[in-house]
Amino acid sequence: MYWTLCPSTAKSPEYSGTAIGILNVGLNIGTLLGPPVTGFFIENYGWGVATIPLAVASVLGAIAFFFVKTHDHDSDKATARAAEIDSDLTQAAV
């Protein structure tokens, strides 16, 4: 669901790649920090308490998901803009 919604959050199609890049960074940071933080809670407070931050993060993420603004990117306009950029780059190379 994240991968299909993410490009629609960009205000213009040109920034869709940036939106996906930010998503990748966020997921990688979560993957990096998740195990040590969860391990800390398990070692110091037990399994029961270790599930609380995960549950809170899940609920907050689900609530935040309802406030995500999406933009309808007209694919014909995006295709025309990509062709224009390609044309500009081709002319600049000559």
Side-chain angles (χ1 to χ4, degrees), residues 33-84:
L33 296 179
V37 170
T38 303
F40 170 80
F41 280 104
I42 290 171
E43 287 291 324
N44 293 305
Y45 305 106
W47 281 98
V49 176
T51 59
I52 293 172
L54 298 173
V56 170
S58 298
V59 170
L60 291 177
I63 291 170
F65 195 72
F66 288 108
F67 296 101
V68 172
K69 293 182 182 179
T70 59
H71 303 278
D72 185 24
H73 297 155
D74 184 5
S75 62
D76 293 334
K77 286 182 183 177
T79 303
R81 178 72 180 131
E84 181 182 322

Side-chain angles (χ1 to χ4, degrees), residues 7-21:
S8 300
T9 61
K11 289 188 177 183
S12 66
E14 292 86 9
Y15 296 114
S16 295
T18 302
I20 292 172

